[in-house]
């Protein structure tokens, strides 16, 4: 049995774990990451948001990302009936300073970030699973087991749980709460030879919104594209098909997807994920913090998962560094961390609730190009990851939700059916570039 003492031990080497590891190592902390898989490994979560770019700069990883991944300049959201669509660009966001994010193959992205942690001095142990935790007043004892069956125990002053949807500590302390109204199911795969728009627009994420489901199409490389669909778990169960057959059927029923996929061939297995929306009621304890999906995951619809993972991991690293410097401030620092991460998750929860509960009204307002009082620009900025703390953004967001609410009673924007017409084709769609 080998014992070592670290400042921080991190469970999980996904974007949250590697971000925190690099920042702590850069701050001179003795940090170790345990990752049970061998990277590269498949992971979903491929479309990023511009507000992560400032963290990539701080990590010192921007050039590597620029060399490796496609830029993402914005998105394209269409109503499934084929009568309305909108393109939005991050450059048009309210007081925008970032015009792009990235579309990434997660196996490569996660490996690049984790290798970067090693290069910056973090100790990384892959194929090593955290199996048991013991909390004392001033430290945490961590039992791990590597792929060859070797067991060891290490000690750290703090533990950062970045175990993703595994939510190791959330389950251990029974603080994980699922969102019953967001019990969704998703099926997805990678394809080659999907038609793209010309020029810069080839990098846009495409989302198609139907009445009871929505689709994504995310360009990952020059030729490879990620395609997926999300619906209520109950709706998926009712079709009684395997994920593979279901994905083929759903695409076939949606002209705005099918039209672009005439020459497409699937080059990955069909994956599925279910019941993915939850939140932990506590994000911090005496010796631990939660970050990324281990803290909570709302829904994939606004591509916020990796942004939230990276944002919370950055805050967690700064919080732990400050707590290591002055133990007496720990409680106040941990409370501040929890408040700020919860606040940002709430912003996305409000969007997601609106997207599903007021599906038609939300989309009808969202797809209306009239940009009164820069409301569209504010929505664009918040969806890009702007925390929306300024009054200028707050009142615009309030008005946006007020319009969505009023749309229930008055047709402020044209009504949409959201049911595919078999005759519809992308050429009948009238995309606009103004935003919401
Ligand atoms: C259908 C779907 C679509 C999505 N689409 C998007 C999108 O377009 N854009 C976006 O930004 N987000 C998207 N997401 C969300 C995104 O996948 C996650 O938010 C993101 O991966 C979270 O990163 P993380 O580092 O917190 O966790 P992860 O990336 O899951 O990393 C956690 C790591 O911890 C490791 N681990 C777990 N338990 C242990 C243990 N006991 N010991 C050691 N290691 C352990 C795992 O092996 C894993 O590598 C989507 C999610 C779903 C379900």
């Amino acid at each position: 049995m080998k014992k070592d003492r670290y400042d921080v031990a991190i469970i999980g080497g996904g974007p949250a774990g590697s971000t925190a590891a690099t920042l702590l190592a850069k701050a001179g902390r003795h940090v170790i990451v345990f990752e049970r898989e061998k990277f590269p490994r498949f992971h979903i979560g491929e479309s990023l948001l511009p507000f992560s770019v400032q963290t990539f700069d701080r990590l010192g990883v921007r050039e590597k990302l620029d060399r490796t991944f496609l830029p993402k300049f914005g998105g394209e959201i269409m109503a499934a009936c084929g009568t309305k669509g909108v393109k939005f660009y991050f450059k048009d966001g309210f007081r925008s300073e970032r015009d792009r994010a990235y579309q990434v193959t997660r196996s490569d992205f996660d490996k690049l970030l984790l290798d970067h942690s090693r290069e910056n001095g973090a100790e990384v142990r892959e194929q090593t699973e955290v199996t048991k935790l013991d909390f004392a007043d001033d430290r945490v004892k961590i039992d791990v087991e590597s792929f060859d069956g070797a067991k060891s125990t290490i000690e750290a002053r703090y533990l950062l749980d970045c175990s993703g949807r595994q939510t190791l500590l959330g389950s251990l302390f029974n603080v994980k709460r699922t969102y019953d109204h967001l019990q969704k199911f998703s099926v997805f795969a990678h394809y080659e030879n999907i038609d793209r728009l010309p020029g810069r627009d080839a990098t846009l994420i495409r989302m198609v919104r139907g009445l009871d489901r929505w689709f994504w199409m995310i360009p990952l490389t020059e030729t490879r594209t990620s395609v997926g669909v999300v619906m209520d778990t109950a709706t998926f169960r009712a079709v009684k098909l395997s994920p593979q057959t279901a994905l083929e059927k759903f695409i076939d029923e949606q002209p705005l997807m099918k039209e672009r996929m005439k020459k497409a061939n699937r080059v990955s297995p069909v994956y599925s994920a279910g019941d993915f929306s939850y939140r932990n009621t506590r994000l911090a304890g005496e010796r631990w913090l939660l970050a990324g999906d281990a803290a909570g995951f709302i829904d994939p619809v606004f591509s916020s998962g990796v942004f939230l993972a990276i944002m919370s991991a950055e805050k967690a690293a700064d919080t732990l560094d400050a707590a290591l410097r002055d133990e007496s401030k720990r409680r106040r620092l941990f409370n501040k961390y929890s408040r700020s991460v919860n606040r940002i998750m709430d912003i996305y929860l409000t969007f997601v609730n609106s997207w599903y509960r007021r599906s038609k009204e939300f989309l009808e307002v969202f797809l209306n190009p009239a940009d009164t009082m820069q409301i569209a620009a504010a929505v664009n900025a918040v969806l890009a990851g702007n925390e929306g703390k300024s009054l200028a953004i707050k009142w615009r967001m309030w008005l946006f939700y007020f319009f969505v609410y009023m749309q229930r009673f008055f047709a402020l924007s044209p009504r949409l059916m959201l049911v595919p017409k078999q005759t519809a084709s992308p050429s009948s769609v009238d995309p606009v570039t103004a935003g919401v």
Side-chain angles (χ1 to χ4, degrees):
M1 281 289 231
K2 189 169 160 252
K3 281 202 179 176
D4 283 310
R5 188 78 191 253
Y6 293 85
D7 291 320
V8 181
I10 299 176
I11 312 173
S18 55
T19 296
T22 300
L23 293 176
L24 283 162
K26 273 177 177 276
R29 299 299 175 188
H30 192 200
V31 55
I32 185 163
V33 182
F34 296 110
E35 168 52 57
R36 68 179 174 193
E37 306 276 344
K38 173 80 186 147
F39 283 14
R41 51 92 178 92
F42 178 85
H43 205 296
I44 194 60
E46 298 148 326
S47 193
L48 308 192
L49 297 183
F51 272 68
S52 291
V53 175
Q54 59 211 34
T55 314
F56 296 142
D57 279 334
R58 201 177 151 200
L59 292 170
V61 81
R62 254 298 274 299
E63 278 181 22
K64 288 184 192 170
L65 296 177
D66 284 342
R67 275 200 306 270
T68 318
F69 300 111
L70 281 189
K72 167 188 175 187
F73 293 101
E76 183 188 20
I77 302 189
M78 347 271 295
C81 41
T83 53
K84 197 83 187 161
V86 66
K87 287 182 199 157
F88 64 92
Y89 299 95
F90 297 128
K91 70 175 175 48
D92 299 324
F94 191 75
R95 295 178 192 159
S96 168
E97 289 173 13
R98 300 267 181 220
D99 71 342
R100 70 191 70 186
Y102 300 96
Q103 312 278 28
V104 301
T105 303
R106 278 292 298 276
S107 50
D108 298 336
F109 177 73
D110 289 15
K111 179 164 169 41
L112 188 154
L113 288 186
L114 196 60
D115 287 347
H116 191 71
S117 302
R118 274 195 192 95
E119 287 159 24
N120 280 276
E123 188 177 332
V124 178
R125 292 197 204 162
E126 287 179 65
Q127 291 179 290
T128 305
E129 183 166 10
V130 171
T131 52
K132 189 164 171 270
L133 300 165
D134 250 320
F135 291 88
D137 284 350
D138 60 345
R139 65 189 187 284
V140 189
K141 239 167 60 178
I142 299 146
D143 289 355
V144 298
E145 182 169 350
S146 53
F147 68 103
D148 56 5
K151 293 181 181 170
S152 57
T153 301
I154 65 111
E155 287 185 2
R157 290 175 68 188
Y158 290 104
L159 178 73
L160 179 59
D161 182 4
C162 298
S163 61
R165 298 206 286 126
Q166 176 86 6
T167 58
L168 212 72
L169 288 191
S171 307
L172 184 70
F173 295 124
N174 194 22
V175 291
K176 183 175 171 181
R177 301 286 175 268
T178 49
Y179 289 112
D180 289 340
H181 67 290
L182 293 176
Q183 290 316 299
K184 307 286 173 191
F185 194 86
S186 178
V187 280
F188 41 89
H190 288 176
Y191 291 80
E192 291 281 342
N193 300 322
I194 291 186
D195 290 340
R196 299 210 175 139
L197 295 173
R200 282 192 155 198
D201 285 356
T203 71
L204 303 183
I205 180 173
R206 164 175 271 214
M207 287 163 65
V208 177
R209 180 68 162 101
L211 211 48
D212 65 351
R213 67 196 65 180
W214 64 269
F215 297 80
W216 78 70
M217 209 176 242
I218 301 171
L220 296 177
T221 67
E222 292 301 327
T223 56
R224 184 175 285 219
T225 305
S226 168
V227 172
V229 57
V230 179
M231 61 188 57
D232 282 344
T233 304
T235 311
F236 182 80
R237 283 211 187 105
V239 298
K240 293 196 172 91
L241 293 173
S242 69
Q244 183 180 323
T245 318
L247 183 60
E248 282 161 11
K249 173 178 152 56
F250 298 148
I251 291 170
D252 199 52
E253 287 169 358
Q254 176 39 255
L256 294 174
M257 298 294 290
K258 199 171 143 186
E259 181 67 25
R260 284 202 182 171
M261 296 182 68
K262 279 182 188 148
K263 302 188 290 293
N265 54 308
R266 185 162 56 77
V267 290
S268 81
V270 174
Y271 298 94
S272 62
D275 298 343
F276 37 64
S277 299
Y278 58 85
R279 181 99 155 253
N280 287 299
T281 53
R282 283 178 69 194
L283 303 189
E286 293 294 312
R287 290 280 131 199
W288 53 268
L289 290 181
L290 310 180
D293 277 10
F297 179 62
I298 315 288
D299 189 272
V301 61
F302 294 113
S303 302
S304 56
V306 174
F307 162 71
L308 289 170
I310 286 172
M311 174 280 297
S312 57
E314 180 177 14
K315 287 184 192 287
D318 292 343
T319 301
L320 291 171
D321 185 40
L324 284 161
R325 217 175 306 126
D326 184 351
E327 184 81 25
S328 68
K329 293 187 178 149
R330 173 174 45 87
R331 200 158 283 174
R332 194 171 54 78
L333 287 163
F334 281 21
N335 287 340
K336 188 173 166 212
Y337 171 77
S338 302
R339 274 198 309 278
S340 101
V341 172
N342 273 319
R343 202 185 72 79
I344 300 168
M345 284 210 264
D346 282 340
I347 294 174
Y348 284 97
L349 181 61
T350 309
F351 267 120
V352 166
N353 282 339
S354 202
W355 172 265
Y356 288 116
R357 282 196 185 140
R358 304 201 192 291
S359 55
K360 283 183 69 209
E361 297 93 48
F362 182 91
L363 209 71
E364 283 160 3
V365 174
F366 198 90
L367 296 187
N368 182 7
D371 188 6
T372 340
M373 296 178 285
Q374 286 190 283
I375 293 171
V379 175
N380 180 330
V382 174
L383 284 178
N386 186 321
E387 291 185 32
K389 276 184 175 163
S390 74
L391 188 63
I393 289 199
K394 273 187 184 150
W395 71 258
R396 286 179 171 88
M397 291 307 295
W398 187 88
L399 265 183
F400 170 72
Y401 284 117
F402 177 70
F403 289 144
V404 172
Y405 177 75
M406 293 308 284
Q407 177 75 12
R408 283 173 81 185
F409 311 105
F410 313 101
L412 305 175
S413 306
R415 299 284 186 203
L416 295 170
M417 293 302 291
L418 299 187
V419 177
K421 283 187 212 136
Q422 287 309 316
T423 51
S425 78
S427 55
S428 67
V429 175
D430 171 31
V432 287
T433 53
V436 179

